[in-house]
Amino acid sequence: MMPSLRSSVRQAALAVCLVVAAPVSAVRAQSAAATATFLDYRTAVPAGWTASSPSSSMRLAEYRVPGANGAAPVEIVVYFFGPGQGGTPEANLARWKSQFSNPDGSPVAGLVRRDSTGAFPLTIAEYRGTYARGVGMGSSASEARPGHLLLAVVAETPRGTLFFQCFGPMAAVEAQRATYLQFVKGLR
């Protein structure tokens, strides 16, 4: 073979290898789970969650999952207020519950359970209805969002209490329920 032909064959073979290898490396990149670290504990960040810069110093992390058909996104927030800070689980449950109401304005029922099967004791709560996030913190009633669900978890770790919230339209949050709980329970 002539030198220029040999060089052309090598270039063509390299191009074929790159095209064949590209999908394999893309699959590897997509399958490699991102991790998040909170108080030196790690957990896997679910695929499809988009991280954004925390909007306050009390937020360790913020994630969003796009809503279906133009609906509002599901938001996931992780809070840490400092060692021994943030209040008791009961005080937080009462505050979160007060941010919800039924269509007639009455208080919502809520569902609370304890889970001690993981690395830390968890208090898991859910509230459904019209959500007026931040009530008593400068927000107005006009910001209330009907048909919302809050799944909140208080994780009492030896290094401090972490507060996890997953909130948004009911159907969208329900679709994230198992993924979100796996994210929280995955802390190690």
Side-chain angles (χ1 to χ4, degrees):
M1 223 184 276
M2 298 178 4
S4 65
L5 183 57
R6 216 177 285 152
S7 175
S8 295
V9 169
R10 271 192 228 132
Q11 288 175 346
L14 178 61
V16 168
C17 288
L18 289 175
V19 169
V20 170
V24 172
S25 63
V27 169
R28 274 192 213 122
Q30 289 173 353
S31 67
T35 59
T37 303
F38 309 118
L39 305 181
D40 292 328
Y41 300 109
R42 302 181 123 213
T43 187
V45 177
W49 286 18
T50 303
S52 59
S53 295
S55 61
S56 83
S57 60
M58 296 177 288
R59 293 180 174 201
L60 295 179
E62 292 182 28
Y63 302 94
R64 285 180 168 256
V65 180
N69 301 323
V74 171
E75 297 179 55
I76 298 95
V77 181
V78 182
Y79 296 92
F80 178 66
F81 301 101
Q85 302 296 308
T88 65
E90 292 73 22
N92 282 282
L93 297 174
R95 184 171 45 80
W96 296 328
K97 183 177 179 180
S98 75
Q99 295 174 341
F100 279 82
S101 64
N102 287 308
D104 65 2
S106 65
V108 297
L111 176 65
V112 177
R113 65 184 173 92
R114 309 278 192 241
D115 185 326
S116 59
T117 61
F120 319 108
L122 304 176
T123 302
I124 303 168
E126 66 179 82
Y127 304 101
R128 300 167 181 267
T130 299
Y131 191 22
R133 184 171 182 78
V135 166
M137 300 173 68
S139 67
S140 68
S142 66
E143 296 173 20
R145 295 172 260 177
H148 271 59
L149 169 60
L150 168 66
L151 292 176
V153 179
V154 180
E156 298 175 81
T157 82
R159 296 181 186 134
T161 303
L162 292 166
F163 301 87
F164 295 82
Q165 292 187 347
C166 177
F167 56 93
M170 283 187 209
V173 173
E174 284 293 354
Q176 288 297 313
R177 177 187 293 275
T179 302
Y180 165 70
L181 292 174
Q182 182 177 358
F183 170 73
V184 175
K185 290 180 178 184
L187 278 175
R188 301 279 184 258

